[in-house]
Amino acid sequence: MYKLILKLAWKNSFLRRARVLLVIIMIAVSMSMMLVLEGVYDGLVKNMVDKNKRSESGDISIFAKEYRVNRDLTYRIKNADEIKAQLQSMKGVEAVVLRVKADGLLSTARKSSFASLIGIDLKEEEHFGKFSEFLKEGVIDLQKQGAIVGIELAKTLKLRIGSKVVFSTQDTKGEINSIALHVRAIVQTTNIGLDNSAIFIDINQSHKFLGTTSQDAMQIAIRGEERELYEKLKRAFPNLDVKEFLELQPMMKMMQDVMIIFNSVTFLIVMGVVFIGIFGVMYVSILERVREFGIMISLGMPYRYIRAQIFLESIVVGLLGYLGGAVLGAVLLIYLERYGIDLSAFSDALEMWGYEAVIYATIKVSYFTTTFGAIITASLLSVIIPLAKIKKLNPIEVIKADK
Protein backbone atom coordinates (compact mmCIF):
# COMPACT_ATOMS: atom_id res chain seq x y z
CA MET A 1 0.00 0.00 0.00
CA TYR A 2 2.74 2.43 0.99
CA LYS A 3 4.66 1.69 -2.23
CA LEU A 4 1.53 2.61 -4.17
CA ILE A 5 1.10 5.82 -2.14
CA LEU A 6 4.71 6.85 -2.68
CA LYS A 7 4.49 6.03 -6.38
CA LEU A 8 1.35 8.14 -6.75
CA ALA A 9 2.66 10.99 -4.55
CA TRP A 10 5.91 11.46 -6.40
CA LYS A 11 4.68 10.68 -9.89
CA ASN A 12 5.40 13.75 -12.07
CA SER A 13 4.84 14.34 -15.73
CA PHE A 14 7.28 16.18 -17.97
CA LEU A 15 4.84 19.12 -18.19
CA ARG A 16 4.62 19.34 -14.41
CA ARG A 17 8.40 19.39 -14.05
CA ALA A 18 8.60 22.08 -16.70
CA ARG A 19 6.06 24.24 -14.86
CA VAL A 20 7.92 23.87 -11.57
CA LEU A 21 11.23 24.72 -13.24
CA LEU A 22 9.68 27.78 -14.86
CA VAL A 23 8.38 29.04 -11.50
CA ILE A 24 11.79 28.46 -9.87
CA ILE A 25 13.46 30.48 -12.63
CA MET A 26 10.82 33.22 -12.33
CA ILE A 27 11.36 33.46 -8.56
CA ALA A 28 15.15 33.49 -8.97
CA VAL A 29 15.16 36.20 -11.65
CA SER A 30 12.58 38.36 -9.83
CA MET A 31 14.45 38.08 -6.55
CA SER A 32 17.84 38.85 -8.10
CA MET A 33 16.46 41.95 -9.83
CA MET A 34 14.94 43.11 -6.56
CA LEU A 35 18.28 42.62 -4.77
CA VAL A 36 20.09 44.58 -7.49
CA LEU A 37 17.60 47.45 -7.33
CA GLU A 38 17.86 47.62 -3.54
CA GLY A 39 21.66 47.48 -3.65
CA VAL A 40 22.00 50.15 -6.35
CA TYR A 41 19.56 52.55 -4.72
CA ASP A 42 21.09 52.05 -1.28
CA GLY A 43 24.53 52.53 -2.79
CA LEU A 44 23.42 55.75 -4.49
CA VAL A 45 22.01 57.20 -1.26
CA LYS A 46 24.96 55.96 0.80
CA ASN A 47 27.42 57.61 -1.59
CA MET A 48 25.55 60.92 -1.50
CA VAL A 49 25.27 60.86 2.30
CA ASP A 50 28.97 60.03 2.68
CA LYS A 51 30.12 62.81 0.34
CA ASN A 52 27.78 65.38 1.86
CA LYS A 53 29.16 64.56 5.30
CA ARG A 54 32.76 64.69 4.12
CA SER A 55 32.41 67.88 2.09
CA GLU A 56 30.27 70.02 4.36
CA SER A 57 28.14 69.04 7.32
CA GLY A 58 29.94 66.12 8.93
CA ASP A 59 27.81 64.01 11.24
CA ILE A 60 27.11 67.11 13.36
CA SER A 61 27.66 70.81 12.78
CA ILE A 62 27.73 73.70 15.24
CA PHE A 63 26.77 77.27 14.31
CA ALA A 64 26.18 80.49 16.18
CA LYS A 65 22.56 81.20 16.99
CA GLU A 66 20.72 82.87 14.08
CA TYR A 67 23.57 82.27 11.61
CA ARG A 68 21.70 79.70 9.52
CA VAL A 69 18.77 82.13 9.23
CA ASN A 70 20.62 85.39 8.58
CA ARG A 71 23.93 84.19 7.06
CA ASP A 72 25.63 87.31 8.43
CA LEU A 73 29.22 87.60 9.69
CA THR A 74 27.85 89.12 12.88
CA TYR A 75 26.55 85.69 13.85
CA ARG A 76 29.82 83.84 14.13
CA ILE A 77 31.38 81.65 16.78
CA LYS A 78 34.01 83.85 18.42
CA ASN A 79 35.78 81.20 20.51
CA ALA A 80 35.80 78.47 17.87
CA ASP A 81 39.40 77.44 18.55
CA GLU A 82 38.61 76.74 22.21
CA ILE A 83 35.51 74.76 21.27
CA LYS A 84 37.52 72.79 18.72
CA ALA A 85 40.07 71.81 21.36
CA GLN A 86 37.27 70.81 23.72
CA LEU A 87 35.60 68.71 21.03
CA GLN A 88 38.80 66.91 20.10
CA SER A 89 39.15 65.70 23.68
CA MET A 90 35.61 64.29 23.79
CA LYS A 91 34.93 60.58 23.43
CA GLY A 92 33.31 59.65 20.12
CA VAL A 93 34.68 62.62 18.15
CA GLU A 94 36.84 61.45 15.23
CA ALA A 95 37.62 64.74 13.45
CA VAL A 96 36.81 68.44 13.74
CA VAL A 97 37.25 71.29 11.25
CA LEU A 98 36.58 75.02 11.39
CA ARG A 99 35.18 76.85 8.41
CA VAL A 100 34.75 80.54 7.64
CA LYS A 101 31.94 81.41 5.24
CA ALA A 102 30.61 84.48 3.46
CA ASP A 103 28.04 84.89 0.69
CA GLY A 104 28.78 87.31 -2.10
CA LEU A 105 29.34 87.85 -5.81
CA LEU A 106 31.92 86.00 -7.90
CA SER A 107 32.88 87.78 -11.11
CA THR A 108 34.94 87.24 -14.21
CA ALA A 109 35.63 89.83 -16.91
CA ARG A 110 32.38 88.86 -18.66
CA LYS A 111 30.02 87.30 -16.15
CA SER A 112 28.99 87.28 -12.49
CA SER A 113 27.20 84.80 -10.24
CA PHE A 114 26.18 84.36 -6.61
CA ALA A 115 28.80 82.37 -4.71
CA SER A 116 29.64 81.25 -1.20
CA LEU A 117 33.22 81.79 -0.07
CA ILE A 118 34.47 79.04 2.26
CA GLY A 119 37.74 79.37 4.13
CA ILE A 120 39.26 75.97 4.87
CA ASP A 121 42.44 74.35 6.13
CA LEU A 122 43.35 71.85 3.40
CA LYS A 123 45.34 69.59 5.73
CA GLU A 124 42.48 69.34 8.21
CA GLU A 125 39.90 68.90 5.44
CA GLU A 126 41.94 66.03 4.03
CA HIS A 127 41.86 64.30 7.41
CA PHE A 128 38.20 65.15 7.92
CA GLY A 129 36.79 64.05 4.58
CA LYS A 130 39.59 63.25 2.09
CA PHE A 131 39.00 66.50 0.23
CA SER A 132 41.41 65.56 -2.57
CA GLU A 133 39.02 62.80 -3.71
CA PHE A 134 36.60 65.48 -4.92
CA LEU A 135 39.12 66.77 -7.45
CA LYS A 136 37.73 66.90 -10.98
CA GLU A 137 40.38 69.03 -12.68
CA GLY A 138 43.57 70.86 -11.72
CA VAL A 139 45.67 70.64 -8.54
CA ILE A 140 44.52 71.03 -4.94
CA ASP A 141 46.47 74.14 -3.93
CA LEU A 142 45.37 77.32 -2.14
CA GLN A 143 48.71 79.10 -1.96
CA LYS A 144 49.23 82.56 -3.50
CA GLN A 145 45.58 83.58 -3.92
CA GLY A 146 44.62 80.09 -5.08
CA ALA A 147 40.97 79.03 -5.15
CA ILE A 148 39.02 75.82 -5.67
CA VAL A 149 35.62 76.09 -7.40
CA GLY A 150 32.56 73.84 -7.46
CA ILE A 151 31.96 72.17 -10.81
CA GLU A 152 28.56 73.74 -11.58
CA LEU A 153 29.77 77.22 -10.60
CA ALA A 154 32.72 76.73 -12.94
CA LYS A 155 30.34 75.81 -15.76
CA THR A 156 28.13 78.84 -15.04
CA LEU A 157 31.07 81.27 -15.22
CA LYS A 158 32.93 79.21 -17.86
CA LEU A 159 35.97 78.95 -15.61
CA ARG A 160 39.10 77.01 -16.42
CA ILE A 161 42.24 76.19 -14.50
CA GLY A 162 44.15 79.47 -14.25
CA SER A 163 41.08 81.71 -14.68
CA LYS A 164 41.13 84.92 -12.67
CA VAL A 165 38.03 85.73 -10.60
CA VAL A 166 37.05 88.43 -8.14
CA PHE A 167 34.90 87.72 -5.07
CA SER A 168 33.07 90.64 -3.43
CA THR A 169 31.19 90.74 -0.13
CA GLN A 170 30.74 92.71 3.08
CA ASP A 171 33.39 92.28 5.75
CA THR A 172 32.87 92.41 9.51
CA LYS A 173 32.86 96.24 9.42
CA GLY A 174 30.03 96.30 6.89
CA GLU A 175 32.23 97.56 4.08
CA ILE A 176 32.28 96.05 0.59
CA ASN A 177 35.54 94.22 0.12
CA SER A 178 36.95 92.31 -2.86
CA ILE A 179 39.65 89.74 -3.38
CA ALA A 180 41.26 88.57 -6.63
CA LEU A 181 41.76 84.80 -6.90
CA HIS A 182 43.18 82.30 -9.36
CA VAL A 183 41.33 79.04 -10.03
CA ARG A 184 43.67 76.15 -9.20
CA ALA A 185 41.16 73.29 -9.16
CA ILE A 186 37.57 72.32 -9.91
CA VAL A 187 35.86 69.87 -7.57
CA GLN A 188 32.71 67.79 -7.65
CA THR A 189 31.39 66.94 -4.20
CA THR A 190 27.89 65.70 -5.29
CA ASN A 191 26.63 68.25 -2.75
CA ILE A 192 24.37 70.39 -4.94
CA GLY A 193 24.80 73.50 -2.80
CA LEU A 194 28.60 73.36 -2.89
CA ASP A 195 28.90 72.35 -6.52
CA ASN A 196 26.61 75.19 -7.58
CA SER A 197 28.11 78.02 -5.53
CA ALA A 198 31.20 77.17 -3.47
CA ILE A 199 34.61 78.74 -3.89
CA PHE A 200 37.20 77.48 -1.39
CA ILE A 201 40.18 79.54 -0.24
CA ASP A 202 42.73 79.22 2.55
CA ILE A 203 41.18 79.88 5.96
CA ASN A 204 43.92 82.32 6.99
CA GLN A 205 43.38 84.31 3.82
CA SER A 206 39.64 84.37 4.47
CA HIS A 207 40.23 85.76 7.99
CA LYS A 208 42.35 88.55 6.56
CA PHE A 209 39.85 89.28 3.78
CA LEU A 210 36.73 89.30 5.98
CA GLY A 211 38.26 90.93 9.05
CA THR A 212 37.72 87.94 11.32
CA THR A 213 40.31 86.41 13.65
CA SER A 214 41.79 82.93 13.95
CA GLN A 215 39.42 82.31 16.88
CA ASP A 216 36.36 82.91 14.67
CA ALA A 217 34.38 80.42 12.60
CA MET A 218 30.92 80.24 11.06
CA GLN A 219 30.79 76.45 11.20
CA ILE A 220 32.38 73.72 13.28
CA ALA A 221 31.91 70.38 11.51
CA ILE A 222 32.33 67.14 13.47
CA ARG A 223 32.75 63.52 12.39
CA GLY A 224 31.73 60.90 14.93
CA GLU A 225 29.57 57.78 14.80
CA GLU A 226 28.63 57.58 18.48
CA ARG A 227 24.84 57.71 18.77
CA GLU A 228 24.83 59.72 21.97
CA LEU A 229 27.26 62.34 20.65
CA TYR A 230 24.54 64.63 19.30
CA GLU A 231 22.69 64.86 22.62
CA LYS A 232 25.99 65.22 24.46
CA LEU A 233 26.96 68.22 22.29
CA LYS A 234 23.55 69.86 22.67
CA ARG A 235 23.95 69.72 26.44
CA ALA A 236 27.57 70.90 26.30
CA PHE A 237 26.84 73.94 24.05
CA PRO A 238 23.34 75.21 24.88
CA ASN A 239 24.13 78.70 23.56
CA LEU A 240 25.07 77.42 20.11
CA ASP A 241 23.04 75.91 17.29
CA VAL A 242 23.90 72.17 17.22
CA LYS A 243 22.47 70.28 14.23
CA GLU A 244 22.86 66.69 13.10
CA PHE A 245 23.29 65.65 9.48
CA LEU A 246 19.66 64.98 8.53
CA GLU A 247 18.56 68.31 10.01
CA LEU A 248 21.04 70.09 7.77
CA GLN A 249 20.32 67.92 4.73
CA PRO A 250 16.54 67.39 4.54
CA MET A 251 16.89 66.16 0.96
CA MET A 252 18.91 63.20 2.24
CA LYS A 253 16.14 62.42 4.71
CA MET A 254 13.63 62.57 1.87
CA MET A 255 15.77 60.26 -0.26
CA GLN A 256 16.04 57.75 2.59
CA ASP A 257 12.25 57.83 3.04
CA VAL A 258 11.77 57.38 -0.71
CA MET A 259 14.23 54.49 -0.58
CA ILE A 260 12.15 52.74 2.08
CA ILE A 261 8.96 53.23 0.05
CA PHE A 262 10.66 52.14 -3.17
CA ASN A 263 12.12 49.01 -1.58
CA SER A 264 8.79 48.16 0.06
CA VAL A 265 6.85 48.47 -3.21
CA THR A 266 9.48 46.44 -5.08
CA PHE A 267 9.42 43.86 -2.31
CA LEU A 268 5.62 43.52 -2.46
CA ILE A 269 5.68 43.17 -6.25
CA VAL A 270 8.29 40.41 -6.15
CA MET A 271 6.50 38.60 -3.33
CA GLY A 272 3.28 38.86 -5.35
CA VAL A 273 5.06 37.23 -8.28
CA VAL A 274 6.33 34.47 -5.99
CA PHE A 275 2.87 33.92 -4.50
CA ILE A 276 1.11 33.78 -7.86
CA GLY A 277 3.79 31.56 -9.38
CA ILE A 278 3.77 28.96 -6.61
CA PHE A 279 -0.01 29.15 -6.24
CA GLY A 280 -0.51 28.48 -9.97
CA VAL A 281 1.88 25.54 -10.03
CA MET A 282 0.53 23.96 -6.85
CA TYR A 283 -3.11 24.46 -7.82
CA VAL A 284 -2.67 22.91 -11.27
CA SER A 285 -0.52 20.14 -9.77
CA ILE A 286 -3.25 19.31 -7.26
CA LEU A 287 -5.96 19.31 -9.94
CA GLU A 288 -3.88 16.83 -11.94
CA ARG A 289 -3.46 14.61 -8.89
CA VAL A 290 -6.98 14.71 -7.48
CA ARG A 291 -7.42 10.97 -8.16
CA GLU A 292 -4.08 10.22 -6.48
CA PHE A 293 -5.06 12.13 -3.36
CA GLY A 294 -8.46 10.46 -3.45
CA ILE A 295 -6.81 7.01 -3.46
CA MET A 296 -4.50 8.00 -0.62
CA ILE A 297 -7.42 9.17 1.50
CA SER A 298 -9.47 6.06 0.67
CA LEU A 299 -6.53 3.86 1.74
CA GLY A 300 -6.59 5.57 5.11
CA MET A 301 -3.85 8.17 4.82
CA PRO A 302 -4.60 11.02 7.25
CA TYR A 303 -5.17 14.45 5.74
CA ARG A 304 -2.28 15.89 7.76
CA TYR A 305 0.23 13.75 5.79
CA ILE A 306 -1.10 15.05 2.48
CA ARG A 307 -1.03 18.58 3.86
CA ALA A 308 2.59 18.12 4.98
CA GLN A 309 3.52 16.80 1.52
CA ILE A 310 2.00 19.80 -0.25
CA PHE A 311 3.58 22.25 2.18
CA LEU A 312 6.92 20.53 1.63
CA GLU A 313 6.55 20.75 -2.15
CA SER A 314 5.77 24.47 -2.03
CA ILE A 315 8.66 25.16 0.37
CA VAL A 316 11.08 23.23 -1.85
CA VAL A 317 9.97 25.25 -4.88
CA GLY A 318 10.35 28.49 -2.89
CA LEU A 319 13.76 27.47 -1.51
CA LEU A 320 15.12 26.49 -4.91
CA GLY A 321 13.92 29.80 -6.33
CA TYR A 322 15.43 31.65 -3.36
CA LEU A 323 18.80 29.90 -3.69
CA GLY A 324 18.93 30.65 -7.40
CA GLY A 325 17.97 34.28 -6.81
CA ALA A 326 20.40 34.67 -3.90
CA VAL A 327 23.34 33.34 -5.92
CA LEU A 328 22.51 35.37 -9.03
CA GLY A 329 21.74 38.50 -6.96
CA ALA A 330 24.95 38.18 -4.93
CA VAL A 331 27.06 37.82 -8.09
CA LEU A 332 25.44 40.89 -9.66
CA LEU A 333 25.77 42.94 -6.45
CA ILE A 334 29.44 42.03 -6.02
CA TYR A 335 30.09 43.05 -9.62
CA LEU A 336 28.19 46.34 -9.24
CA GLU A 337 29.85 47.06 -5.90
CA ARG A 338 33.27 46.73 -7.55
CA TYR A 339 32.67 48.16 -11.03
CA GLY A 340 29.37 50.06 -10.72
CA ILE A 341 26.97 51.12 -13.46
CA ASP A 342 28.57 53.52 -15.92
CA LEU A 343 26.11 56.26 -16.87
CA SER A 344 28.67 58.58 -18.44
CA ALA A 345 26.31 59.25 -21.34
CA PHE A 346 24.06 61.10 -18.87
CA SER A 347 26.86 62.61 -16.75
CA ASP A 348 25.84 66.25 -17.31
CA ALA A 349 22.29 65.67 -16.11
CA LEU A 350 23.43 63.48 -13.21
CA GLU A 351 26.03 65.99 -12.01
CA MET A 352 23.42 68.74 -12.07
CA TRP A 353 21.40 66.79 -9.50
CA GLY A 354 24.38 65.76 -7.41
CA TYR A 355 24.87 62.24 -8.75
CA GLU A 356 28.03 60.68 -10.10
CA ALA A 357 28.36 59.17 -13.56
CA VAL A 358 29.25 55.77 -12.07
CA ILE A 359 26.82 54.38 -9.52
CA TYR A 360 28.04 51.65 -7.19
CA ALA A 361 25.85 49.15 -5.37
CA THR A 362 26.06 48.14 -1.73
CA ILE A 363 25.45 44.73 -0.15
CA LYS A 364 23.56 44.09 3.08
CA VAL A 365 22.78 40.77 4.73
CA SER A 366 19.27 42.10 5.45
CA TYR A 367 18.50 41.94 1.71
CA PHE A 368 18.82 38.16 1.81
CA THR A 369 17.33 37.43 5.24
CA THR A 370 14.23 39.55 4.64
CA THR A 371 13.70 38.02 1.21
CA PHE A 372 14.14 34.50 2.60
CA GLY A 373 11.42 35.04 5.20
CA ALA A 374 9.11 36.61 2.64
CA ILE A 375 9.55 33.82 0.06
CA ILE A 376 8.93 31.08 2.63
CA THR A 377 5.84 32.95 3.86
CA ALA A 378 4.58 33.39 0.29
CA SER A 379 5.24 29.70 -0.41
CA LEU A 380 3.18 28.61 2.60
CA LEU A 381 0.32 31.02 1.93
CA SER A 382 0.09 30.00 -1.73
CA VAL A 383 -1.11 26.45 -0.91
CA ILE A 384 -3.92 27.37 1.48
CA ILE A 385 -6.60 27.39 -1.24
CA PRO A 386 -5.38 24.14 -2.90
CA LEU A 387 -5.32 22.46 0.51
CA ALA A 388 -8.89 23.55 1.19
CA LYS A 389 -9.91 21.87 -2.08
CA ILE A 390 -8.25 18.59 -1.09
CA LYS A 391 -9.85 18.63 2.35
CA LYS A 392 -13.28 18.70 0.72
CA LEU A 393 -12.55 15.67 -1.50
CA ASN A 394 -14.95 12.71 -1.46
CA PRO A 395 -12.61 9.81 -2.28
CA ILE A 396 -15.25 7.48 -3.75
CA GLU A 397 -16.76 10.12 -6.02
CA VAL A 398 -13.30 11.25 -7.17
CA ILE A 399 -12.22 7.71 -8.09
CA LYS A 400 -15.49 6.99 -9.93
CA ALA A 401 -15.46 10.31 -11.76
CA ASP A 402 -11.95 9.76 -13.00
CA LYS A 403 -12.68 6.39 -14.64
Side-chain angles (χ1 to χ4, degrees):
M1 180 181 71
Y2 289 107
K3 288 183 179 181
L4 175 62
I5 292 172
L6 289 173
K7 183 178 180 181
L8 291 170
W10 297 103
K11 180 182 176 183
N12 284 304
S13 66
F14 173 78
L15 185 59
R16 190 182 304 163
R17 293 194 192 100
R19 282 199 300 266
V20 171
L21 180 60
L22 183 61
V23 170
I24 291 172
I25 293 173
M26 179 180 66
I27 294 171
V29 172
S30 301
M31 176 184 163
S32 63
M33 291 302 101
M34 183 187 74
L35 293 175
V36 167
L37 286 173
E38 284 185 315
V40 169
Y41 197 82
D42 280 351
L44 178 65
V45 174
K46 180 182 177 182
N47 178 67
M48 291 188 69
V49 168
D50 175 64
K51 290 201 169 182
N52 273 263
K53 285 182 177 181
R54 287 164 48 203
S55 63
E56 185 178 19
S57 60
D59 295 293
I60 302 168
S61 281
I62 301 177
F63 306 90
K65 294 288 186 181
E66 304 298 326
Y67 173 75
R68 293 177 61 246
V69 177
N70 296 302
R71 302 282 295 182
D72 192 285
L73 295 180
T74 304
Y75 303 103
R76 62 185 186 274
I77 304 172
K78 297 183 180 180
N79 59 336
D81 57 336
E82 297 176 9
I83 295 174
K84 178 184 177 182
Q86 185 178 343
L87 289 169
Q88 289 174 329
S89 65
M90 293 178 68
K91 181 181 178 181
V93 174
E94 298 172 5
V96 183
V97 292
L98 305 181
R99 298 193 183 112
V100 176
K101 298 183 177 183
D103 294 336
L105 188 68
L106 187 66
S107 306
T108 65
R110 297 182 178 180
K111 200 171 183 180
S112 299
S113 176
F114 166 83
S116 180
L117 184 80
I118 304 176
I120 61 173
D121 184 313
L122 274 180
K123 186 177 179 180
E124 291 188 351
E125 290 289 345
E126 187 66 25
H127 172 65
F128 182 84
K130 298 180 180 178
F131 190 83
S132 59
E133 291 186 359
F134 302 134
L135 181 65
K136 194 75 173 177
E137 185 181 350
V139 178
I140 300 292
D141 180 18
L142 297 179
Q143 299 299 315
K144 299 179 180 179
Q145 305 291 98
I148 300 171
V149 183
I151 188 168
E152 294 300 322
L153 180 60
K155 289 179 181 178
T156 300
L157 296 178
K158 298 181 180 179
L159 300 177
R160 299 178 180 179
I161 304 303
S163 295
K164 182 178 179 180
V165 293
V166 176
F167 181 81
S168 303
T169 189
Q170 281 188 318
D171 59 21
T172 54
K173 297 178 182 179
E175 298 177 356
I176 300 297
N177 204 351
S178 298
I179 183 172
L181 302 164
H182 297 277
V183 177
R184 299 286 173 76
I186 296 172
V187 293
Q188 180 186 4
T189 64
T190 69
N191 181 324
I192 297 176
L194 293 182
D195 288 345
N196 285 340
S197 62
I199 176 167
F200 300 92
I201 67 171
D202 182 73
I203 191 168
N204 295 319
Q205 192 173 51
S206 67
H207 284 311
K208 183 178 179 181
F209 169 57
L210 297 172
T212 54
T213 69
S214 59
Q215 289 80 37
D216 296 338
M218 284 70 190
Q219 178 191 19
I220 303 175
I222 304 153
R223 294 298 303 269
E225 298 297 332
E226 187 178 314
R227 292 184 179 182
E228 298 179 358
L229 182 60
Y230 174 61
E231 294 299 330
K232 190 189 299 184
L233 293 180
K234 288 192 74 172
R235 291 192 298 268
F237 306 105
N239 297 322
L240 296 175
D241 188 17
V242 181
K243 296 293 182 183
E244 61 180 348
F245 173 73
L246 291 179
E247 291 180 290
L248 296 170
Q249 301 286 349
M251 189 180 76
M252 293 294 105
K253 174 62 175 173
M254 182 187 71
M255 287 192 68
Q256 289 181 343
D257 292 340
V258 170
M259 178 189 69
I260 293 173
I261 296 171
F262 175 81
N263 288 343
S264 299
V265 171
T266 306
F267 187 81
L268 290 174
I269 291 172
V270 172
M271 289 310 104
V273 170
V274 172
F275 177 83
I276 293 171
I278 297 178
F279 171 78
V281 167
M282 295 307 299
Y283 194 75
V284 172
S285 176
I286 287 170
L287 288 178
E288 290 178 345
R289 293 184 290 168
V290 166
R291 186 167 182 270
E292 297 173 11
F293 292 128
I295 293 174
M296 291 179 186
I297 294 172
S298 66
L299 291 174
M301 175 174 279
Y303 168 73
R304 65 177 181 273
Y305 291 151
I306 296 175
R307 180 179 60 195
Q309 175 190 326
I310 293 174
F311 271 129
L312 181 61
E313 288 178 6
S314 67
I315 290 174
V316 168
V317 172
L319 278 175
L320 291 175
Y322 169 80
L323 291 174
V327 171
L328 179 58
V331 170
L332 291 173
L333 284 174
I334 290 171
Y335 175 84
L336 293 175
E337 184 184 42
R338 182 173 299 178
Y339 301 105
I341 301 174
D342 190 352
L343 300 175
S344 301
F346 310 101
S347 58
D348 290 341
L350 290 169
E351 289 172 358
M352 187 181 299
W353 291 98
Y355 300 114
E356 292 190 338
V358 180
I359 300 174
Y360 295 91
T362 187
I363 304 176
K364 296 180 181 177
V365 176
S366 59
Y367 297 162
F368 299 91
T369 55
T370 305
T371 307
F372 175 78
I375 286 180
I376 296 301
T377 302
S379 299
L380 295 175
L381 291 176
S382 65
V383 297
I384 290 177
I385 295 177
L387 281 172
K389 183 175 180 64
I390 293 175
K391 194 170 185 180
K392 295 177 182 179
L393 285 178
N394 186 319
I396 306 301
E397 292 181 1
V398 169
I399 294 170
K400 286 182 179 180
D402 200 53
K403 288 182 179 180

